[in-house]
Amino acid sequence: MARWARPALSAFRPWRPAGWRSLFTEVGDVLGEGRQGPSGRTDMVATSLWGVRTAPCAVGLAVLNSSITGGRRPISFSASASSIFGSGGNSKKEKLFLQDIVELIQARACQRVVVMVGAGISTPSGIPDFRSPGSGLYSNLQQYGLPYPEAIFELAFFSHNPKPFFTLAKELYLRSCRPNVIHYFLRLLHDKGLLLRLYTQNIDGLERVSGIPASKLVEAHGSFASATCTVCQRPSPGKDIWADVTEDRIPRCPVCTGIVKPDVVFFGEALPQRFLLHVLDFPMADLLLILGTSLEVEPFASLSEAVQSSVPRLLINRDLVGPFAWRPRSRDVVQLGDVVHGVERLAELLGWTQELQDLIQQETEKLDGRDK
């Protein structure tokens, strides 16, 4: 979605004086782990958060990653991949290539993969992105009578005139879009026990439809899966509003008659509480995979730099973006061009092509049966 400003981070207040204590409490609540004793895992994380003031997201890196190679059989890596684990006999950091990433995954040397995705993974499913000239949503909103395109996602405008937003929501809903090969590749990562967390900017919910469980998802900009009354804050399942939306009626709360808004993050709204999981997930990651995003929207974009410098980052994208363009690391691997082709190439090198095709067929049959 459009530009959520950096100040949105202030909603979580993690960097204020003594802020690590409240952050520890909130993250513990998100994870459902409560407040453990002095020797518990949560306490370890809370203590290490002290370092956040000078190195955001550097949560106990040495402790959390100390077991990255422990207890595994010896592995034969390429020279550049070996240098990650200090087994190459050369302390010089060598550039990685796509084949090195493949070898690390195949050897189970990367078992905590964090994924970041944007609109580029949903456009193959028929959902337009926001910024592409001519085809993006912002280029085609004149019909809604907006003072400027971004107004459709502003609370003040929504409160005054919610009809344009719900007209757009209806248009997207009636497309009945389905997950594509990218979504199912990420599902396969989960099925193989490699997916630590998937952070998505998309509000279409296709990650859920592909079968990735909600516990593995952080929908940074919300989704249509749930909705909330703008007056009394009564929550409801997102499906409850679609009967009204498809009939061009504004959804109203049955209790107070306030407007019911899908839990999509508008400009100036705080990001979902689950976004706090990034302070735990990114320091634990041993591979960061970034797909189909411009890395322009904050604070989501800054997460691309939250993994430690020794962790490989793989960008599969149409363009070179964010820190991959202006502050690349030696462990960065970039696969530019069509994102679907890039993911299919990665699956082929991993030897997962048949598994991926079988998964797509299985899930497509399920969706076909559900639509009958």
Side-chain angles (χ1 to χ4, degrees):
M1 190 162 288
R3 300 179 184 278
W4 277 266
R6 285 183 182 273
L9 270 177
S10 64
F12 305 111
R13 307 190 212 286
W15 324 129
R16 67 173 185 241
W20 67 273
R21 292 186 182 276
S22 60
L23 182 59
F24 149 54
T25 302
E26 293 180 72
V27 171
D29 291 341
V30 170
L31 294 177
E33 296 178 12
R35 302 168 187 158
Q36 298 182 7
S39 61
R41 175 177 175 271
T42 307
D43 185 71
M44 176 199 72
V45 172
T47 303
S48 62
L49 281 172
W50 186 260
V52 164
R53 296 179 60 195
T54 55
C57 299
V59 185
L61 297 179
V63 175
L64 292 173
N65 289 286
S66 61
S67 61
I68 199 167
T69 56
R72 298 196 181 96
R73 62 179 175 79
I75 300 168
S76 177
F77 294 120
S78 64
S80 52
S82 297
S83 67
I84 295 178
F85 302 102
S87 57
N90 185 351
S91 60
K92 180 181 177 180
K93 292 184 177 180
E94 301 178 46
K95 180 171 176 56
L96 295 183
F97 297 92
L98 186 61
Q99 184 59 42
D100 297 308
I101 302 296
V102 169
E103 291 180 13
L104 291 171
I105 295 174
Q106 288 176 329
R108 305 288 293 185
C110 293
Q111 298 193 65
R112 297 186 295 272
V113 182
V114 170
V115 182
M116 297 172 61
V117 301
I121 77 162
S122 291
T123 51
S125 293
I127 298 176
D129 63 14
F130 287 86
R131 293 182 186 77
S132 293
S135 62
L137 282 177
Y138 284 160
S139 298
N140 295 280
L141 293 176
Q142 299 91 341
Q143 59 182 304
Y144 300 121
L146 302 170
Y148 45 89
E150 291 83 358
I152 203 165
F153 293 113
E154 289 185 351
L155 278 177
F157 183 83
F158 177 84
S159 299
H160 170 70
N161 182 13
K163 189 170 180 59
F165 172 79
F166 285 113
T167 303
L168 173 63
K170 174 185 175 181
E171 179 187 338
L172 296 176
Y173 176 72
L174 292 180
R175 292 183 186 224
S176 300
C177 296
R178 290 186 172 186
N180 58 63
V181 64
I182 305 171
H183 297 96
Y184 287 120
F185 175 83
L186 301 177
R187 159 72 185 277
L188 197 56
L189 271 182
H190 164 67
D191 289 350
K192 290 179 175 292
L194 300 175
L195 181 65
L196 176 59
R197 204 87 60 194
L198 169 56
Y199 287 73
T200 177
Q201 294 173 280
N202 299 330
I203 60 176
D204 50 52
L206 291 182
E207 297 89 359
R208 291 175 182 245
V209 178
S210 73
I212 299 173
S215 63
K216 291 291 183 178
L217 289 175
V218 173
E219 294 162 318
H221 296 163
S223 77
F224 287 99
S226 59
T228 303
C229 174
T230 56
V231 176
C232 72
Q233 302 300 303
R234 178 182 179 270
S236 62
K239 59 183 177 61
D240 289 359
I241 71 171
W242 290 114
D244 285 327
V245 172
T246 53
E247 294 296 326
D248 296 319
R249 297 189 299 264
I250 304 300
R252 295 283 179 177
C253 175
V255 175
C256 73
T257 72
I259 299 172
V260 178
K261 171 185 164 294
D263 290 333
V264 173
V265 179
F266 277 24
F267 292 107
E269 286 191 294
L271 271 65
Q273 191 179 28
R274 281 186 62 80
F275 190 76
L276 283 167
L277 286 171
H278 75 85
V279 301
L280 297 182
D281 290 339
F282 281 77
M284 293 179 66
D286 46 29
L287 173 64
L288 178 61
L289 176 58
I290 302 176
L291 305 166
T293 174
S294 63
L295 290 182
E296 291 182 2
V297 179
E298 295 293 357
F300 186 92
S302 292
L303 296 183
S304 61
E305 297 195 277
V307 295
Q308 59 177 317
S309 60
S310 63
V311 170
R313 302 187 300 182
L314 172 58
L315 174 71
I316 301 179
N317 210 45
R318 185 181 60 187
D319 305 305
L320 193 65
V321 294
F324 291 88
W326 44 263
R327 191 159 59 202
R329 298 177 180 180
S330 62
R331 298 296 188 266
D332 288 349
V333 177
V334 175
Q335 187 85 0
L336 296 184
D338 182 81
V339 180
V340 167
H341 292 163
V343 167
E344 288 176 337
R345 174 61 176 159
L346 178 58
E348 178 186 0
L349 292 173
L350 287 165
W352 295 359
T353 299
Q354 189 59 54
E355 286 181 88
L356 184 56
Q357 291 174 350
D358 292 344
L359 176 62
I360 293 173
Q361 181 178 348
Q362 166 194 316
E363 293 300 316
T364 300
E365 290 173 356
K366 284 184 184 179
L367 292 176
D368 289 342
R370 195 178 304 168
D371 291 342
K372 288 180 180 177

